Amino acid sequence: MLIASSDPLAFNLLPFLTTIVVFSIVALALGVFVWPKILKGLDDRNAKILHEIESAEAARVAAGLKQKEFEAKLAAALEESDRMLREARAAALRLGDEIRAKNESDLADRARRAGEEIENARRTAIAELEAHAASLAVAIAGRILEREITPADQKRMVEQSLAGMSSTRG
Amino acid sequence: MSVFLASESDPVAHIVDKGVFELTLWDNPVMLSMITVLVCAVGLFFVLHKAAKAIETGPASMGNRRYLPNGSFSAVVEVVVAYLRNEMLVPVMGERLTKRYLSFLLSMFFFILTLNVMGLIPFVEIQDAIYGLMGKSFNLQEHQTSAIFGGAATASISVTGALALIAFIVIQAQGFRELGVKGWLEHLCGGHELVHGSIFLWLVVPIIFAVEFFGLFVKPAALAIRLFANIVAGHTLLITVTMFGAMAIKAGLGTTSVTAITIVSGIGAILITFLEVFVAGLQAFIFMFLTAVFISLMAHEDAAGHAEHEIVGGGGAGATASHASSGVAHPQH
């Protein structure tokens, strides 16, 4: 019968054999029931992460292409809008010039018409003033002569006065 | 713990494997380390099995959440496994050999780690205290214990020797499988170039054969002794520090001195325990990693000289770390 020893380096066959048997069994059990599951879980996760990274990379590349496409479209749109703006500005300027020219023409026309109307009014007023002055002169002359002037006389005297004024003015 | 340890004056007596009280197997005493190894193996299997269930990919109905591990412990196991495989084993062994031996090497690592860590928990002392509180006494003979479980199994050369023997068998099996008997013998004689080279080179073949043949047994022996010595040294230091209080009482010091010494030794024991937890992981890693290196040496001779040089030159963790950190995947034949 073997007995336990106080020497820590003492070799004991039973623990030696027990360890070999127990470790062999547990290594086999772990190899069948544990490590495949853990390693599959790790590999699945690695594959998933790798797939997600690759997908993200592909999405990034696609997004880059889309961005370039968008930027090209944006640049074209900006150019088109600039062109349209330039054209609109030119049209507006042209229209403004036309309107201004028309306004100026209308204004000159109105001024000319107003001048004519003023001239006509002035002539009418002068004529009326002359007629009135002739009437007054006749009336005054009648009073001076102390005699009744008939309408026929008055008319004749006015016509004479007017003729005199016209000749004077003329 | 000092109270439990005060009864003994020899710290090594705590570490030495003891026979379990009145338990025999084929007329031989059942040693504490045997039960500890068995309990740790069973516990390790169930714990890792639970972790594996949490780590494995769930059903498709879970969506993307099926890829997430459940629980913090399973996350730790996953991180350790992923690190060992991707950062340590693949750079040394290559994809093919890693795939072939990963299961064995991970089992080796976690088995030794479990034994080392369980050895740090004072199960024997706890059982002694429970028996003391229950008023139960045993008629213990020398090198017997009333505890049925506990102790540092890896502080027994029988246990570490068994693990080293398994590593030796796997390493040599790999050699025969990869190189064949002729290649294996060539490997022992210094490699194909030397054996088939100039006749003058044959003069060194016997020397190389002797060294390599001796190395076949030295390598696993070094694995066993390194693990055993580190665990024994750590536990001896820890127990010695915790015994300072009891030694102060025995020396007849005053209450104040005893209290001060006990506090200081307690703090020291806590710090050393942290160190021992680190050592437990480190030694498990070294055992597993060196086994992986020795396996890989049997697959490609061009890498053999390089790896052996580092192992012999550096020895232990430093050498393995430098080898691993090189991160170079050796070409496979």
Side-chain angles (χ1 to χ4, degrees):
Chain A
M1 176 176 170
L2 293 169
I3 57 164
S5 168
S6 61
D7 181 8
L9 272 169
F11 181 79
N12 197 325
L13 190 63
L14 267 184
F16 181 79
L17 294 176
T18 305
T19 305
I20 291 173
V21 172
V22 169
F23 176 76
S24 301
I25 292 170
V26 80
L28 188 70
L30 290 174
V32 172
F33 298 109
V34 173
W35 301 129
K37 287 180 183 175
I38 291 178
L39 296 173
K40 185 177 179 304
L42 281 174
D43 291 339
D44 285 352
R45 197 165 309 139
N46 281 350
K48 172 74 175 170
I49 292 168
L50 204 60
H51 173 71
E52 294 296 331
I53 289 171
E54 284 170 354
S55 299
E57 185 68 21
R60 195 183 64 80
V61 171
L65 290 173
K66 286 276 181 195
Q67 189 183 6
K68 279 182 183 171
E69 191 180 330
F70 171 75
E71 282 172 353
K73 280 183 180 173
L74 188 64
L78 281 172
E79 196 177 336
E80 177 70 13
S81 68
D82 280 349
R83 189 184 60 77
M84 288 171 74
L85 207 58
R86 280 197 304 274
E87 286 179 2
R89 194 175 290 131
L93 283 172
R94 196 165 53 246
L95 190 62
D97 289 344
E98 286 174 9
I99 290 170
R100 192 164 56 245
K102 187 172 180 295
N103 284 345
E104 284 173 354
S105 169
D106 285 353
L107 203 59
D109 204 24
R110 282 183 190 176
R112 183 180 55 76
R113 277 205 305 273
E116 286 175 0
E117 283 173 3
I118 289 167
E119 184 62 27
N120 288 338
R122 189 179 67 82
R123 282 179 183 169
T124 306
I126 289 170
E128 284 177 357
L129 192 60
E130 284 174 350
H132 190 63
S135 295
L136 281 173
V138 170
I140 291 165
R143 279 189 187 170
I144 293 168
L145 291 175
E146 291 291 334
R147 59 170 284 222
E148 193 71 29
I149 298 171
T150 63
D153 292 337
Q154 188 177 359
K155 188 179 175 185
R156 186 175 45 83
M157 286 173 72
V158 167
E159 285 173 354
Q160 284 176 351
S161 297
L162 287 172
M165 282 181 186
S166 297
S167 62
T168 308
R169 211 171 37 197
Chain B
M1 189 185 288
S2 296
V3 175
F4 307 132
L5 298 172
S7 60
E8 300 246 20
S9 58
D10 180 12
V12 179
H14 279 276
I15 302 158
V16 172
D17 200 9
K18 296 182 180 68
V20 178
F21 180 62
E22 289 187 341
L23 269 182
T24 57
L25 184 66
W26 300 313
D27 288 336
N28 292 316
V30 171
M31 306 303 287
L32 198 58
S33 63
M34 294 163 62
I35 301 176
T36 304
V37 163
L38 187 63
V39 171
C40 286
V42 173
L44 175 69
F45 175 77
F46 283 110
V47 167
L48 286 181
H49 191 259
K50 193 168 182 288
K53 277 189 172 177
I55 291 170
E56 73 175 334
T57 310
S61 60
M62 289 175 71
N64 283 333
R65 290 195 63 80
R66 68 192 170 126
Y67 293 105
L68 299 178
N70 300 315
S72 52
F73 178 74
S74 57
V76 171
V77 171
E78 182 187 325
V79 167
V80 172
V81 171
Y83 178 76
L84 291 177
R85 182 181 68 167
N86 301 336
E87 304 298 328
M88 291 291 135
L89 297 178
V90 171
V92 171
M93 304 175 77
E95 290 280 355
R96 185 176 59 90
L97 283 182
T98 300
K99 196 173 178 183
R100 186 184 292 170
Y101 292 103
L102 186 61
S103 175
F104 164 72
L105 292 169
L106 288 175
S107 300
M108 181 73 86
F109 172 77
F110 279 98
F111 187 68
I112 295 172
L113 180 67
T114 307
L115 292 179
N116 288 349
V117 171
M118 294 301 272
L120 289 172
I121 304 170
F123 287 115
V124 173
E125 286 77 9
I126 290 170
Q127 288 169 75
D128 285 344
I130 291 170
Y131 290 142
L133 290 172
M134 290 168 65
K136 207 170 178 180
S137 62
F138 297 88
N139 185 22
L140 296 175
Q141 294 175 1
E142 196 179 10
H143 310 306
Q144 269 194 346
T145 177
S146 56
I148 54 168
F149 165 72
T154 42
S156 164
I157 193 71
S158 307
V159 173
T160 59
L163 294 170
L165 177 68
I166 294 168
F168 172 80
I169 292 168
V170 172
I171 292 164
Q172 298 313 316
Q174 159 64 15
F176 284 117
R177 180 178 180 174
E178 194 81 11
L179 307 172
V181 177
K182 186 169 170 280
W184 182 78
L185 285 171
E186 279 183 355
H187 173 79
L188 286 185
C189 294
H192 183 82
E193 288 78 12
L194 197 63
V195 174
H196 296 276
S198 163
I199 195 164
F200 297 107
L201 291 174
W202 290 6
L203 295 173
V204 295
V205 166
I207 302 169
I208 292 176
F209 179 81
V211 171
E212 286 287 342
F213 188 77
F214 188 59
L216 286 182
F217 305 101
V218 167
K219 285 170 187 169
L223 288 178
I225 292 169
R226 181 186 293 108
L227 177 60
F228 162 77
N230 274 283
I231 300 303
V232 167
H235 282 72
T236 304
L237 178 64
L238 183 61
I239 290 166
T240 304
V241 169
T242 53
M243 286 172 74
F244 283 166
M247 289 159 73
I249 293 171
K250 282 184 180 176
L253 296 179
T255 310
T256 311
S257 303
V258 169
T259 307
I261 289 170
T262 305
I263 290 170
V264 171
S265 68
I267 293 169
I270 290 168
L271 295 176
I272 292 169
T273 303
F274 281 121
L275 178 68
E276 283 304 301
V277 171
F278 170 71
V279 169
L282 182 69
Q283 289 306 318
F285 169 75
I286 288 172
F287 197 109
M288 181 274 297
F289 185 77
L290 286 181
T291 305
V293 170
F294 296 147
I295 289 172
S296 69
L297 293 183
M298 286 299 184
H300 37 83
E301 290 178 9
D302 55 340
H306 169 67
E308 279 187 33
H309 172 74
E310 288 199 351
I311 292 157
V312 172
T320 56
S322 68
H323 187 272
S325 63
S326 65
V328 178
H330 300 302
Q332 301 286 311
H333 285 171

